[in-house]
């Protein structure tokens, strides 16, 4: 049993060494070949940062109301927090502007993630330049850009293969249309070109005369009432003229055009190589329940290099997507195609090869893993009710400064020194285990915070420094519980080796319960609190986990190994585990099958013998 305990203690120390090697190697590698620094990133109150003033862009008769502004602020807070525990502050002003204060200097991707609407829609395709056959309601036109690529084919299970503009699948059952123009064509920000006079005239009106199939022919002036979002009756002569006039290769073709979800839309693909007439919105962005980005897996379960965004819908949107797939799969090109539209641009417009029973969508396109994750975060938290433009961006100084940081660190050092003095006074040489454990915990905390700053943009603010200071007491409490349990076992007359293992089993339950309560409190505080308090909660939760690792992998294994030495195992007076100083009971054989227990010894070595009591 003793040999097993020794092996377990050595395995714990080896595990701790391996953990240090992994964290240290990761930090060193990311510093030498990446962008990681060797010091933790500091928060807004300690380092300063950037202040962004966003002003709303009002188009198409929109109004800036207090409710819309507050809703936009809440969404921006979620998007900023999704980039890490950075301690950013988002507020509104009396002149209907949003002020975002965040540490460091934000890059272009961060700015876009904050102010872009990111409204995703799913619309049926009514007309497209990539249609294999041009229906009567689709004006004859030549594809824009270079010559189209060969037609993409689907696999036997209906999974889409790549096209020039990407693919979108729903549970891997929808396939792309004939390939569009090459992505090397002229890129443009053009999206749609509905003339000003036609913006409110795109909904057909009922008529007594309707061509076959409910189709509105070019120039006929006859219309029919649309029966669903895929009905060709949505295509009016006005839309046809706008479609013919649209040139997606020209920058700014869609500026100041309002995207109305209940009306058709003339628009372009994101790379400007295709143009479309789309029906009204079938599923809106407000029905997106969750969005996650990652690499697509093949039918065999292997991870591919294709980046995808997986969407799940909630409520009526899920059923609407399922019903649309069942209805559109039986239609001819282009009516069997579902366009994924982001902020008025078509990301991809595949056709359905089979119905989608679960209503989940998978979108692939010209994404990198970074851009896909940023887009997934924006979609997950919802679209902004207003569009915003960056009015000003200025650098701001720290709100606390170096004096407060110095005083905070000084308070931490004073607390650490008091813990060390108490440990050495109370536990003598055994207190050095406490000191070593605190050093190990501090090292793990430093490595973790620094790496989290690189990987998750974690910023250490003053609240986080406070959490680290509180962690000193949490860690010291775990050591005290363990050492006192061991000393209680020694007082009961157990040999030190047995006392260490028995005391550990009893102390472990108490330590797990105490740290569990601390961690639960940190999680609740992090979930419900504002940005400043979240830094404290995050640090408290992190240091609680580190406390468990240190106690399990260092403190107990170290004490277990020291108990096998002559100095500690023999109960040296300065070891902190001297049975005589602790008043330990003496258990001895009294003969004739009797065991005698001597009363606890006093701290004076002169008294050694006491009459035993028979058991």
């Amino acid at each position: 049993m003793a040999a097993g305990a020794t092996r377990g203690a050595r395995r714990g120390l080896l595990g701790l060494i391996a953990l240090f090697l992994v964290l240290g190697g990761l930090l060193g590698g990311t510093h030498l070949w990446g962008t990681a620094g060797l010091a933790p990133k500091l928060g807004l109150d300690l380092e300063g940062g950037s202040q962004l003033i966003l002003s709303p862009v009002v188009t198409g008769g929109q109004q800036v109301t207090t409710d819309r502004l507050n809703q936009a602020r809440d969404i921006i807070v979620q998007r900023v927090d999704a980039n890490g525990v950075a301690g950013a502050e988002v507020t509104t002003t009396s002149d209907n502007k949003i002020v975002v204060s965040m540490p460091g200097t934000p890059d272009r991707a961060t700015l876009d993630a904050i102010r872009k609407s990111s409204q995703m829609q799913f619309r049926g395709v009514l007309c497209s330049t990539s249609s294999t056959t041009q229906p009567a309601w689709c004006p004859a036109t030549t594809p824009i850009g270079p010559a189209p690529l060969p037609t993409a084919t689907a696999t036997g299970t209906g999974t889409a293969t790549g096209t020039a503009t990407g693919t979108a699948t729903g549970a891997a059952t929808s396939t792309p249309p004939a390939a569009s123009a090459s992505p090397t064509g002229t890129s443009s920000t053009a999206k749609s070109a509905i003339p000003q006079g036609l913006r409110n005239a795109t909904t057909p009106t009922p008529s007594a005369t309707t061509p076959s199939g409910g189709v509105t022919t070019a120039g006929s002036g006859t219309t029919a009432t649309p029966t669903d979002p895929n009905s060709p009756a949505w295509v009016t002569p006005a839309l046809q003229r706008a479609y013919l006039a649209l040139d997606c290769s020209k920058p700014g073709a869609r500026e100041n055009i309002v995207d109305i979800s209940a009306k058709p839309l003339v628009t372009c693909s994101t790379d400007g190589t295709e143009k479309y007439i789309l029906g009204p919105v079938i599923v809106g962005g407000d029905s997106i329940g969750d969005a996650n980005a990652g690499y697509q897996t093949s039918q065999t379960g292997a991870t591919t290099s294709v980046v995808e965004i997986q969407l799940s819908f909630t409520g009526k949107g899920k059923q609407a997507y399922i019903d649309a797939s069942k209805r559109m799969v039986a239609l001819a090109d282009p009516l069997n195609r579902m366009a994924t539209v982001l902020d008025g641009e078509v990301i991809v417009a595949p056709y359905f090869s089979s119905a989608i029973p679960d209503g989940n969508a998978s979108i692939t396109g010209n994404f990198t893993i970074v851009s896909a994750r940023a887009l997934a975060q924006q979609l997950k938290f919802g679209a902004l009710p207003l569009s915003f433009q960056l009015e000003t961006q200025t650098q701001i100084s720290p709100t606390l400064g170096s004096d407060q940081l110095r005083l905070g660190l000084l308070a931490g050092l004073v607390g650490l020194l008091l813990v060390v003095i108490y440990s050495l006074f109370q536990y003598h040489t055994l207190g050095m285990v406490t000191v070593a454990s605190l050093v190990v915990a501090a090292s793990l905390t430093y490595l973790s915070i620094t790496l989290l700053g690189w990987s998750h943009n974690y910023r250490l603010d003053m609240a986080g420094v406070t959490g680290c200071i509180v962690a000193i007491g949490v860690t010291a409490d775990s050591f005290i519980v363990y050492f006192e349990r061991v000393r209680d076992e020694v007082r009961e007359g157990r040999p030190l080796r047995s006392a260490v293992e028995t005391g550990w089993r009893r102390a472990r339950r108490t330590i797990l319960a105490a740290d569990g309560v601390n961690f639960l409190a940190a999680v609740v505080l992090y979930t419900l609190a504002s940005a400043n308090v979240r830094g404290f909660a995050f640090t408290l939760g992190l240091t609680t986990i580190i406390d468990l690792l240190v106690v399990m992998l260092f403190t107990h294994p170290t004490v277990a190994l020291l108990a096998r030495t002559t100095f500690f195992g023999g109960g040296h007076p300065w070891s902190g585990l001297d049975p005589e100083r602790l008043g330990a009971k003496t258990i001895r054989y009294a003969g004739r099958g009797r065991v005698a227990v001597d009363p606890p010894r006093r701290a004076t070595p002169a008294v050694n013998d006491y009459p035993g009591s028979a058991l």
Side-chain angles (χ1 to χ4, degrees):
M1 183 175 179
T6 302
R7 287 194 298 269
R10 289 174 179 172
R11 284 196 299 267
L13 292 176
L14 289 176
L16 182 65
I17 293 174
L19 180 60
F20 266 106
L21 291 177
V22 170
L23 294 179
L26 185 60
L27 179 60
T30 53
H31 175 71
L32 293 176
W33 298 290
T35 59
L38 294 179
K41 291 184 177 181
L42 298 180
L44 185 66
D45 54 351
L46 299 178
E47 185 184 54
S50 301
Q51 185 179 77
L52 314 174
I53 298 180
L54 307 177
S55 58
V57 178
V58 180
T59 58
Q62 285 182 315
Q63 294 183 352
V64 181
T65 63
T66 302
D67 291 339
R68 285 189 172 185
L69 200 65
N70 290 335
Q71 182 184 358
R73 179 201 60 201
D74 294 340
I75 294 174
I76 290 175
V77 168
Q78 291 177 311
R79 291 181 179 180
V80 171
D81 289 343
N83 294 324
V85 189
E89 300 176 358
V90 183
T91 58
T92 58
T93 63
S94 58
D95 55 349
N96 294 333
K97 294 179 181 178
I98 293 181
V99 180
V100 182
S101 301
M102 55 193 312
T105 302
D107 53 16
R108 174 58 57 181
T110 302
L111 293 177
D112 289 341
I114 292 175
R115 62 189 178 90
K116 286 190 67 174
S117 175
S118 296
Q119 174 67 51
M120 179 168 284
Q121 303 169 342
F122 294 88
R123 294 173 177 259
V125 177
L126 305 179
C127 184
S128 170
T129 54
S130 64
S131 299
T132 55
T133 57
Q134 296 292 350
W137 61 86
C138 192
T141 181
T142 56
I144 55 180
L149 298 174
T151 301
T153 58
T155 62
T157 59
T159 302
T161 59
T163 64
T165 59
T167 64
T169 63
T173 57
S174 62
T175 54
S180 62
S182 168
T184 59
T186 304
S187 178
S188 169
T189 59
K191 300 178 183 177
S192 73
I194 303 176
Q196 177 70 35
L198 300 178
R199 294 179 192 170
N200 298 321
T202 57
T203 303
T205 56
S207 174
T209 305
T210 304
S212 175
V215 175
T216 301
T217 57
S220 67
T222 59
T223 59
T225 302
T227 56
D228 55 63
N230 300 104
S231 175
W234 290 103
V235 183
T236 63
L239 282 177
Q240 292 172 336
R241 290 192 295 270
Y243 176 76
L244 288 171
L246 177 60
D247 186 356
C248 293
S249 63
K250 291 183 178 180
R254 189 191 173 270
E255 290 182 0
N256 300 323
I257 299 299
V258 179
D259 184 358
I260 303 176
S261 60
K263 295 184 178 182
L265 177 68
V266 177
T267 186
C268 296
S269 61
T270 54
D271 58 7
T273 57
E274 280 190 78
K275 60 182 178 180
Y276 303 87
I277 299 178
L278 305 177
V281 173
I282 298 175
V283 180
D286 55 349
S287 296
I288 295 177
D290 195 11
N292 296 286
Y295 291 98
Q296 197 175 57
T297 57
S298 64
Q299 297 175 358
T300 60
T303 302
T304 67
S305 60
V306 179
V307 179
E308 69 172 352
I309 299 176
Q310 293 183 342
L311 301 177
S312 61
F313 300 101
T314 59
K316 296 180 180 180
K318 181 176 183 178
Q319 189 60 45
Y321 194 88
I322 295 173
D323 294 341
S325 68
K326 294 178 180 178
R327 181 178 63 251
M328 295 171 64
V329 70
L331 301 177
D333 182 49
L335 298 180
N336 61 349
R337 298 172 61 185
M338 176 83 82
T340 302
V341 184
L342 178 65
D343 293 337
E345 292 180 338
V346 175
I347 298 178
V348 66
Y351 65 85
F352 289 99
S353 62
S354 61
I356 301 175
D358 58 2
N360 293 325
S362 172
I363 305 172
T364 61
N366 296 324
F367 298 122
T368 64
I369 189 63
V370 176
S371 64
R373 286 172 177 167
L375 177 56
Q377 288 178 356
Q378 297 173 45
L379 297 174
K380 183 184 301 183
F381 301 127
L384 295 176
L386 297 167
S387 297
F388 290 87
Q389 64 180 1
L390 180 61
E391 186 174 297
T392 60
Q393 178 178 345
T394 57
Q395 293 296 117
I396 56 176
S397 59
T399 57
L400 292 179
S402 58
D403 290 341
Q404 284 80 359
L405 177 60
R406 184 174 63 255
L407 292 175
L409 295 177
L410 180 61
L413 290 176
V414 171
L416 181 63
L417 181 61
L418 291 176
V419 170
V420 170
I421 293 175
Y422 171 80
S423 298
L424 295 178
F425 175 79
Q426 179 71 14
Y427 301 110
H428 302 297
T429 308
L430 185 63
M432 295 301 298
V433 178
T434 301
V435 177
S437 299
L438 289 173
V439 172
V440 172
S443 301
L444 286 177
T445 303
Y446 160 76
L447 290 173
S448 301
I449 290 178
T450 306
L451 286 172
L452 286 172
W454 165 74
S455 62
H456 291 79
N457 196 33
Y458 172 75
R459 297 274 180 167
L460 183 64
D461 54 10
M462 199 62 203
V465 174
T466 305
C468 292
I469 296 174
V470 173
I472 297 175
V474 174
T475 304
D477 181 66
S478 298
F479 303 151
I480 292 173
V481 169
Y482 178 33
F483 292 162
E484 288 301 325
R485 284 290 189 181
V486 173
R487 294 172 71 157
D488 285 343
E489 296 299 323
V490 173
R491 291 188 183 98
E492 292 297 323
R494 290 182 181 273
L496 183 58
R497 295 181 186 178
S498 175
V500 166
E501 295 303 321
T502 305
W504 169 245
R505 286 194 296 269
R506 294 181 177 180
R508 182 172 54 193
R509 293 193 295 267
T510 306
I511 293 172
L512 288 174
D515 283 346
V517 172
N518 283 335
F519 187 76
L520 182 61
V523 171
V524 173
L525 196 60
Y526 180 85
T527 304
L528 302 179
S530 60
N532 292 334
V533 183
R534 292 182 74 188
F536 169 79
F538 184 86
T539 309
L540 180 62
L542 177 65
T543 51
T544 300
I545 296 175
I546 291 176
D547 172 52
L548 283 177
L549 290 175
V550 172
V551 172
M552 299 283 185
L553 300 181
F554 180 78
T555 307
H556 169 58
T558 301
V559 174
L561 292 178
L562 290 177
R564 304 184 68 82
T565 63
T566 303
F567 182 81
F568 286 94
H572 191 279
W574 285 100
S575 66
L577 296 172
D578 181 13
E580 185 174 339
R581 288 183 177 273
L582 294 176
K585 299 177 182 178
T586 302
I587 302 176
R588 56 186 177 81
Y589 181 68
R592 297 184 179 181
R594 296 182 304 159
V595 177
V597 179
D598 294 338
R601 299 175 183 174
R602 297 179 181 176
T604 54
V607 180
N608 295 322
D609 297 325
Y610 293 91
S613 58
L615 292 180

